[in-house]
Amino acid sequence: MINCCVSLIYYIRMMQAPNPAAAQAALNAALGRCGLDQAAIDAVVTIGGIAHIAMLGMLATSDIARICKVARTRTVNPIMITVMQEQLMQGMRFWVTNRQRLGMLVDADEFTTATAFAQTALMTRTVEDDAREEKDQVAKMPEKFKKAAEYKVFAESLDTYLGLLKGTGKIPLKYVIRREAVPDPVAVYLSDHEQRVAIAPLAGTEFNRDNAKVYGIIKQLCLEGPGRAYVIPFDTAQNGRGAYLALRDHFESDSFRNRSRNEAYTTLQTLHYNGEKRGFTFEKFVEKHNEAFLELERQEEPVYEKRRFAIF
């Protein structure tokens, strides 16, 4: 099956729409809310060949700038498009591409004047933040997953790491490994970051690209440990989400957790210190006990202090 980019899907739907004249009128009205008069609107849609607001998702920011430049500098009937009007058009494109990337409906009537100003301001802040992040933030790769007992720490570290890396559409890559495949339609999100992670589509060209990137990260971290057997089956498809779910289904299963708890209790019950021996000092004895206690806590079965001293 051929994968199509989201904007192309919207374009095809637009071409099949029963009323293209209404779509054109809605686009023109949205451009009017960017401050353009009718002459400027006519110039923009003619030069750009734009017949539907969704088609803005097929244009780059440089295309919007070029359309405005052609309108201003053409020898016959040049049109004055101000810097602010051009910026608001860029904000409209930003709004369209974000909604398309998240699989949301793009309705020109929803692009109000207030939306135009809010999205343009958000676009400007996003560009500035991205530039600052590239300069200041260096995401640290998690430690390799080499011990089954360390899965919970590994999973949390991976989630944090992928939250710092941006995929297509500037969506944090952690969306690829989110727990809920289908977004909750009535969920209330506390931030744009949270919403984008929760609702980004888990299908399509953009997802496939991000999914392959996540697979490469997971494979690199799991090749030398107990997760290898669960990751390698997804190598051909470069399926990061599939590999992560396989790891989660095994290392978060009831059978694995029960086995881990039993092994920790066995350690606590059978490990004794009978004086210094080669390779087994008192410090090593304490370390083994602490590892067993920590494992019980990871499996949500903490041993209280009084019980710790009784076992010790």
Side-chain angles (χ1 to χ4, degrees):
M1 181 174 68
I2 299 175
N3 288 313
C4 298
C5 67
V6 175
S7 56
L8 181 57
I9 293 174
Y10 272 91
Y11 176 70
I12 293 172
R13 287 176 181 171
M14 180 277 297
M15 294 298 289
Q16 296 172 339
N19 196 345
Q24 183 72 70
L27 168 65
N28 292 357
L31 288 169
R33 291 189 284 275
C34 292
L36 276 65
D37 60 20
Q38 191 58 53
I41 291 171
D42 291 341
V44 167
V45 298
T46 300
I47 296 169
I50 310 167
H52 189 288
I53 192 169
M55 294 177 70
L56 289 173
M58 303 176 70
L59 301 178
T61 55
S62 59
D63 294 324
I64 300 296
R66 188 161 68 250
I67 290 170
C68 293
K69 181 177 180 180
V70 171
R72 294 186 191 109
T73 60
R74 63 187 182 182
T75 55
V76 178
N77 191 26
I79 301 295
M80 173 53 65
I81 297 176
T82 68
V83 172
M84 181 55 68
Q85 289 168 345
E86 179 178 338
Q87 190 74 347
L88 289 168
M89 288 173 60
Q90 294 284 12
M92 185 180 351
R93 177 196 168 275
F94 177 79
W95 179 78
V96 168
T97 55
N98 276 334
R99 293 182 72 85
Q100 289 178 341
R101 178 64 186 89
L102 295 173
M104 300 171 69
L105 177 68
V106 177
D107 184 346
D109 293 337
E110 293 183 12
F111 189 76
T112 64
T113 301
T115 301
F117 280 92
Q119 287 293 307
T120 302
L122 177 60
M123 175 190 69
T124 302
R125 290 197 305 271
T126 299
V127 171
E128 293 172 349
D129 290 345
D130 288 345
R132 191 159 45 247
E133 284 180 7
E134 289 178 5
K135 182 183 297 184
D136 299 337
Q137 187 182 71
V138 178
K140 182 181 178 182
M141 179 82 83
E143 296 292 331
K144 291 185 177 181
F145 179 38
K146 293 187 176 182
K147 294 181 181 179
E150 297 173 351
Y151 172 75
K152 189 172 183 179
V153 173
F154 162 75
E156 291 173 354
S157 298
L158 179 64
D159 184 81
T160 300
Y161 179 64
L162 294 179
L164 295 173
L165 301 182
K166 300 293 178 62
T168 56
K170 301 295 184 181
I171 301 174
L173 281 176
K174 67 182 293 182
Y175 86 90
V176 173
I177 63 170
R178 70 174 186 241
R179 287 187 174 269
E180 302 299 330
V182 180
D184 182 352
V186 297
V188 176
Y189 303 105
L190 300 179
S191 67
D192 178 67
H193 179 281
E194 182 184 13
Q195 181 184 34
R196 290 164 72 80
V197 170
I199 72 174
L202 299 178
T205 302
E206 289 89 353
F207 168 73
N208 291 340
R209 187 181 304 120
D210 291 343
N211 196 29
K213 186 181 297 184
V214 169
Y215 177 78
I217 293 169
I218 292 175
K219 179 180 178 181
Q220 183 178 352
L221 295 173
C222 293
L223 271 181
E224 302 172 27
R228 175 187 171 87
Y230 303 97
V231 170
I232 291 301
F234 299 93
D235 196 65
T236 300
Q238 298 284 288
N239 185 353
R241 180 168 177 80
Y244 178 78
L245 292 179
L247 288 168
R248 191 188 74 186
D249 289 347
H250 175 71
F251 291 104
E252 294 185 23
S253 66
D254 289 339
S255 61
F256 179 81
R257 293 176 66 184
N258 289 337
R259 185 166 66 251
S260 296
R261 279 196 293 264
N262 291 337
E263 289 175 355
Y265 275 124
T266 298
T267 296
L268 291 173
Q269 291 167 1
T270 61
L271 190 65
H272 303 287
Y273 180 72
N274 297 314
E276 295 282 335
K277 294 181 180 179
R278 181 180 298 177
F280 191 74
T281 63
F282 182 74
E283 288 75 16
K284 192 70 174 178
F285 169 73
V286 173
E287 179 185 337
K288 289 289 185 182
H289 267 270
N290 286 338
E291 287 178 357
F293 288 132
L294 181 58
E295 182 57 29
L296 290 173
E297 289 178 0
R298 287 192 186 116
Q299 303 307 330
E300 299 178 356
E301 190 164 339
V303 180
Y304 298 104
E305 289 300 318
K306 187 181 231 182
R307 176 68 175 151
R308 285 190 183 217
F309 286 113
I311 293 174
F312 193 82

